[in-house]
Amino acid sequence: MNKAYLGLGTNMGHREGYLRQACKTLQEHGKINISKISKVYETKAWGYTEQDDFLNICMEIETSLSSIELLEICHAIEEMLNRERTIKWGPRTIDVDILFFNNIISDDERLTLPHPRIKERAFVLIPLMDLNKELIINNKPISYYLSKLSKEERDEVKEVSVNI
Ligand SMILES: Nc1ncnc2c1ncn2[C@@H]1O[C@H](COP(=O)(O)OP(=O)(O)OP(=O)(O)O)[C@@H](O)[C@H]1O
Ligand SMILES: Nc1nc2c(c(=O)[nH]1)N=C(CO)CN2
C-alpha cells in the first residue's frame, strides 16, 4: 500500500462545503483510505495576495493507486467542483495537491515530488505538522522549514473550528 499526503485549499463560495465534497469523493473512492486529517486552518492568501482568505487542510491517505493515477483523481475533483484556472495562484473553489507520495523524489513537471513549494508555505507546513512531524525534504524535517518562516508568515495561519 502506498502512503501519500495531500494538501487541499479553497477560497471561493461555500468553502467548508467544497472541502467536505472533496473529502467525501476521496473517501468514497474504492482505492483510497483517508488515514488522518489535519485541523482546519483559515489562512491569508499566499503568492497572489489580492484575494479572499483560504481554508486549508492536509490529509494522509493510503492508496493502491499509482502517483499519476492519484494526480488524475485530484484533477477530476478540481474539475467536478468547477475549479477555473485564470490567475496564477488565484482564487479557486478547490485545489488538491499531492505533497508527498511514499518517499518518491521526482522533478517531473507533471508531478513534482515532494511538492516543490511546501518549504515556503506555512499554510501547508502547519497542517502537515498535525499529521506527521517526521516528514523530510532534502534531509531536513518539515519543522526546520517552518522554523525558517517569519512569525508574521506563521501567524497568517489560524486554526478554526470547522467540521469536515
Ligand atoms: N505534486 C504535485 N501536485 C499537484 N500538481 C502538481 C504537482 N507537481 C506538479 N503538478 C502540476 O502542476 C500543475 C499546475 O497545478 P495547479 O494549477 O493546481 O497549480 P496551483 O495549485 O495553482 O499552484 P501550486 O502548484 O504552486 O500549488 C498541474 O497541471 C500538475 O500536473
Ligand atoms: N493561503 C493560501 N494561499 C494560497 C493557496 C492556498 O491553498 N492557501 N494556494 C495557492 C495555489 O496553490 C496560492 N496561494
Side-chain angles (χ1 to χ4, degrees):
M1 197 59 86
N2 301 303
K3 191 191 271 193
Y5 291 84
L6 303 181
L8 285 77
T10 165
N11 75 335
M12 285 175 74
H14 186 38
R15 299 173 304 169
E16 295 98 302
Y18 286 122
L19 284 182
R20 275 189 206 116
Q21 287 186 66
C23 290
K24 185 165 180 277
T25 307
L26 288 163
Q27 188 57 61
E28 286 175 355
H29 189 289
K31 294 185 174 177
I32 296 174
N33 174 48
I34 300 177
S35 39
K36 286 187 199 168
I37 191 148
S38 72
K39 293 175 209 152
V40 181
Y41 295 88
E42 187 159 52
T43 69
K44 292 282 166 217
W46 177 100
Y48 174 73
T49 52
E50 296 300 303
Q51 56 178 325
D52 294 339
D53 291 352
F54 280 74
L55 289 183
N56 283 106
I57 58 170
C58 289
M59 62 174 69
E60 180 189 271
I61 64 167
E62 294 156 348
T63 182
S64 54
L65 297 170
S66 70
S67 57
I68 288 294
E69 287 169 334
L70 180 61
L71 182 68
E72 284 163 0
I73 301 294
C74 296
H75 287 162
I77 292 172
E78 293 175 352
E79 207 165 297
M80 180 184 85
L81 298 178
N82 303 316
R83 155 132 187 233
E84 286 175 7
R85 287 184 167 77
T86 41
I87 304 167
K88 184 185 179 194
W89 293 332
R92 68 246 353 249
T93 54
I94 197 75
D95 183 30
V96 187
D97 288 335
I98 305 181
L99 305 172
F100 294 89
F101 192 96
N102 294 334
N103 294 323
I104 297 178
I105 298 175
S106 160
D107 62 4
D108 183 338
E109 208 176 281
R110 187 165 166 222
L111 181 59
T112 308
L113 291 167
H115 187 287
R117 285 167 286 283
I118 297 174
K119 304 192 284 290
E120 305 135 61
R121 293 178 166 177
F123 71 82
V124 176
L125 290 166
I126 290 174
L128 268 182
M129 292 283 291
D130 289 342
L131 303 176
N132 183 349
K133 296 184 173 55
E134 319 285 310
L135 290 164
I136 301 285
I137 306 172
N138 293 338
N139 297 317
K140 293 196 172 71
I142 54 171
S143 55
Y144 167 82
Y145 298 103
L146 187 57
S147 74
K148 290 285 161 199
L149 297 184
S150 65
K151 182 173 181 318
E152 287 72 23
E153 286 170 294
R154 282 182 272 129
D155 285 349
E156 288 184 348
V157 176
K158 292 194 168 40
E159 187 186 328
V160 284
S161 72
V162 169
N163 284 321
I164 297 302

